[in-house]
Amino acid sequence: MSHPSHAQPSISSVFTALVRRDVTLAWGQGGASLLALGFFLIAVSLFPFGVGPEPQILARIAPGIIWVVALLASVVSLDRLYQADYEDGSLDDLVLSPMGLVGIAGAKVLAHWLSTTLPLAVAAPALAVLLNFPDEGYWVLVGSLLIGTPALSLIGSIGASLTVAVRRGGVLMFLLILPLYVPTLIFGVGAVDAAVMMGDPLPHLALLAATTLIALVVSLAASAAALKLALE
Amino acid sequence: MTDANPIFDSGTRLSGSGLACRRGGRRVFEGLNFEVQAGDFLSLTGKNGSGKSTLLRLIAGFLPKKSGTISYSCSGNASDFLVSDDFMLVGHQNGLKPGFTLRENASFYYRLMTGSTPAAKRLQIAADIFALDSLLDEPVQYFSSGQRHRSALMRLPLVARQIWLMDEPTVGLDADNRAALAALIQHHMACGGIVIAATHDPMGVAGNVLDMDQFQPNTGNSDDMDEGWL
């Protein structure tokens, strides 16, 4: 390299630095994580008021409610994923870091998952109690959310990067992302339903994991390409 | 920042020839040539909209060029593409997170660029240059716009990168800090650094001037409209 005075930086520590910064920002003042978690708690607890307090009905629709609301809560938190950095200029700095755009997208998605969508999976059992969720489904509910939530962050990253330069792009992002969430939703709810109805949740979980892996392959490259366009 | 010995490769050359760039179908400049080498200061002048910021972002690799080449070589090794690891950009946006203190912002920037944690002394020295030492542990959201701008400039002495791209670095700076910036640039040049600055004000640093107005495309010809972007 052109300046021998310092060694080539280690990409992994740059990556960790970005993940740590984003997690700190997400839990800090005005961060998205508490908002998403609050949205998740409130929206789920609205359903007993709307549908009525019959335990059987609530137990039947609980997997769907929890999954759909987790999905919405993740989208709510996504619109600032890249936009905050774009607006204050730190996205330019990130691009000039030794990491590359795919690495940036990867770090930001990992931070979003750790700070925002993973807490949703952790909070889900508490809400399941509220909905009279059957005991035998708890492990599969948490397991399906753990496997499926990375896909929510990954797919959301595509929408967030495409709308990064769009003012008030939040609604546009909703329209772009929600259809792409359908496979994750189907397999996630399918696994929980299978567990509750004494079926075998494994095939559903395997397909859910496949969806997440496909999202991992596609979304980082897509996000990087969209960010490159946004910087022009 | 501790000695004046050249720490950067003295064989670095950066040049562009026949550069043209379009923004939204409008030709910003064309036929632009420039060349800088280690120890040079190049100031870009020209009226608003003449493409000063565009050229800086083009050099940094953010924008695609319509035509022309940018070549970059260090100690004889020519490369056609630019190594982003050698650039540092200071633009209109300061890249600071309001909820973080200046120390947290600067430490993050340092870790982002180098992968290691900055020594407290290094941060202190960098902050002293722009008289920010008393603000290091204050959250950036309470800073005035001049203080934010100085905080953004603090990255220059903090991280060693050879090529500084600066977009109107003197805006909002008082006389003392302009002098500090000029001294910092001179020190950087003495170390073999390269500074390209878009500016309307004299920076107080001797160097070459590139007048962007001379590269304006002939207007009035409506055929110039680039349909490719539509």
Side-chain angles (χ1 to χ4, degrees), chain B residues 54-126:
Chain B
T54 303
L55 179 61
L56 290 177
R57 292 183 72 80
L58 191 81
I59 295 172
F62 292 138
L63 298 178
K65 51 189 181 293
K66 184 73 185 168
S67 62
T69 53
I70 293 181
S71 54
Y72 176 76
S73 61
C74 43
S75 284
N77 301 321
S79 72
D80 203 22
F81 63 97
L82 296 164
V83 187
S84 67
D85 291 14
D86 289 326
F87 286 95
M88 179 135 56
L89 182 73
V90 185
H92 293 292
Q93 298 158 313
N94 46 40
L96 301 166
K97 292 291 174 195
F100 283 171
T101 64
L102 177 56
R103 189 186 298 280
E104 286 165 339
N105 270 299
S107 306
F108 170 72
Y109 186 80
Y110 189 84
R111 271 199 295 272
L112 181 69
M113 293 301 173
T114 66
S116 53
T117 308
K121 179 134 178 68
R122 191 178 179 103
L123 278 175
Q124 191 68 44
I125 290 171

Side-chain angles (χ1 to χ4, degrees), chain A residues 30-40 43 68-81 83 112 116-117 120 152 156 160 169-171 173-174 177-178 181:
Chain A
S33 294
L34 274 177
L35 289 176
L37 200 57
F39 177 86
F40 187 51
V68 169
V69 176
L71 203 136
L72 293 176
S74 127
V75 187
V76 165
S77 63
L78 272 166
D79 66 334
R80 301 291 291 166
L81 182 63
Q83 205 173 34
H112 181 262
T116 308
T117 41
L120 300 181
L152 301 185
V171 179
M173 201 191 66
F174 258 82
I177 292 180
L178 286 180
Y181 277 170

Side-chain angles (χ1 to χ4, degrees), chain A residues 1-3 6 8-9 13-14 17 21 29 85-90 92-98 231-232, chain B residues 9 23 57 62-64 83-86 89 93 95-97 100 108 111-115 141 155 160-161:
Chain A
M1 292 308 294
S2 62
H3 35 73
H6 64 248
Q8 190 66 9
S13 53
V14 174
R21 182 199 72 160
Q29 173 189 9
D85 284 347
Y86 177 79
E87 282 168 2
D88 68 18
S90 36
D92 287 354
D93 298 338
L94 295 180
V95 174
L96 290 180
S97 78
L231 285 167
E232 282 184 10
Chain B
D9 181 353
R23 303 286 281 145
R57 292 183 72 80
F62 292 138
L63 298 178
V83 187
S84 67
D85 291 14
D86 289 326
L89 182 73
Q93 298 158 313
L96 301 166
K97 292 291 174 195
F100 283 171
F108 170 72
R111 271 199 295 272
L112 181 69
M113 293 301 173
T114 66
Q141 58 187 326
R155 66 181 54 180
R161 288 204 164 190

Side-chain angles (χ1 to χ4, degrees), chain B residues 167-208:
Chain B
D167 199 352
E168 307 204 11
T170 54
V171 167
L173 288 187
D174 57 26
D176 286 352
N177 286 301
R178 281 181 193 223
L181 179 64
L184 186 67
I185 290 175
Q186 266 151 357
H187 178 89
H188 185 61
M189 288 157 62
C191 293
I194 296 173
V195 180
I196 303 178
T199 176
H200 292 288
D201 308 318
M203 300 270 295
V205 180
N208 302 322

